[in-house]
Amino acid sequence: MGEAQVGSTGTRLAVLGSPIGHSKSPAIHAAAYAVLGLDWRYERFDVPEGELADFMASRGDGWRGFSVTMPLKQEALDFASTLAPAASDIGAVNTLVFDDAGSAAPARGWNTDVTGFIAALSDAGVERASRVRLLGAGGTAAAVVAALPSLQTEQLSIVVRAPERAQALAELASSLGVRVEVLTFAQFEAGPASSKAADLVVNTVPGDRDHLTVDEAWVQGAVLFDVLYDPWPTKLAAHWLSAGGRVVSGLELLLAQALVQVRLFTGRGESEPLPQEAEVRTAMRSAALRVSE
């Protein structure tokens, strides 16, 4: 684990998680702050599960905030003196913004995955999804469920290996007024074609898995949002495209939620545009694509 206070000068930001070496966040955020004329440092620190408390205690002065990724999104709840509604609803924080630069400053906790998911779909022309099929039940899946009211979703199928893992998600969906069913992958794949029809299919299953196969019943009329982006296309996305379907990459979620983080880190609200936001978006996307090369 890196030492948070080594070389501490100026305004600092970082992404925390493990593993973290592959993260595109440093390049994406650096590009945004360059456009905004802010001489801010954005770094990465490998912080394994269970070690966030030690890292936070060692952080020193000068920190504006942290982006938080897996496996620390639940641990980060303990370091937020206040929580935005989305973070509270899904029990996960991916953004901590400190009230001042002191080492003991309180932090506000946000989850920009929710806003980012909605924005990424909107940019792809998806404003409404009455029927949604959600593959997986982890932290990103919770953000997807929290976004469903904004998509006017009426019916959700959560497809998992072990139904008990989806209980909390099902309860959250029900509390939001969404009809929900939980299926195993075997049940889903064995079901009739009508049970697979959807407006939107969201894959949050970690890893590029061979068992995520596609038949024509999945693809007809549905957009696939695969939250994975490296490598791209995933096997699922490639199958979907070969069957003539529309696909949204997880890179779009990464960029959209990072843009919201930049707004928060610069003292704005989640939906409050940045100065030169169009230029910021372009710079962030270019940086992400350069990292992929």
Side-chain angles (χ1 to χ4, degrees), residues 6 37 65 91 111 121 137 139 144 154 167 169 179 219 226 232 257 260:
V6 172
N111 193 303
L121 280 174
V144 172
E154 298 173 0
Q167 181 177 349
L169 278 187
R179 297 193 308 274
V219 178
D226 195 330
W232 187 261
Q257 65 83 29
V260 179

Side-chain angles (χ1 to χ4, degrees), residues 1 5 12 27 38 59 71 74-76 78 82 125 128 136 139 153 160-161 174 187 203 218 240 255 271:
M1 181 178 71
Q5 57 189 5
R12 301 179 73 189
L38 297 171
R59 77 175 189 266
Q74 283 71 44
E75 287 182 52
D78 295 336
T82 61
R128 186 176 187 276
T153 301
V160 290
R161 290 194 194 87
S174 295
Q187 289 172 326
N203 175 42
W218 283 50
W240 202 278
L255 291 168
S271 302

Side-chain angles (χ1 to χ4, degrees), residues 224 232-243 247:
L224 170 68
W232 187 261
T234 63
K235 294 182 178 69
L236 178 60
H239 292 161
W240 202 278
L241 290 168
S242 68
V247 175

Side-chain angles (χ1 to χ4, degrees), residues 52-77:
L52 183 58
D54 289 341
F55 181 90
M56 294 292 282
S58 73
R59 77 175 189 266
D61 297 332
W63 290 95
R64 177 61 181 155
F66 292 119
S67 305
V68 182
T69 189
M70 297 304 291
L72 304 175
K73 293 183 180 182
Q74 283 71 44
E75 287 182 52
L77 288 166

Side-chain angles (χ1 to χ4, degrees), residues 272-285:
E272 184 181 353
L274 295 159
Q276 302 171 273
E277 183 149 307
E279 292 89 340
V280 171
R281 285 176 179 266
T282 298
M284 293 171 76
R285 180 175 295 278

Side-chain angles (χ1 to χ4, degrees), residues 181-207:
E181 64 175 351
V182 177
L183 302 170
T184 65
F185 279 97
Q187 289 172 326
F188 184 68
E189 291 171 358
S194 60
S195 71
K196 301 178 185 180
D199 304 299
L200 175 67
V201 174
V202 185
N203 175 42
T204 69
V205 177

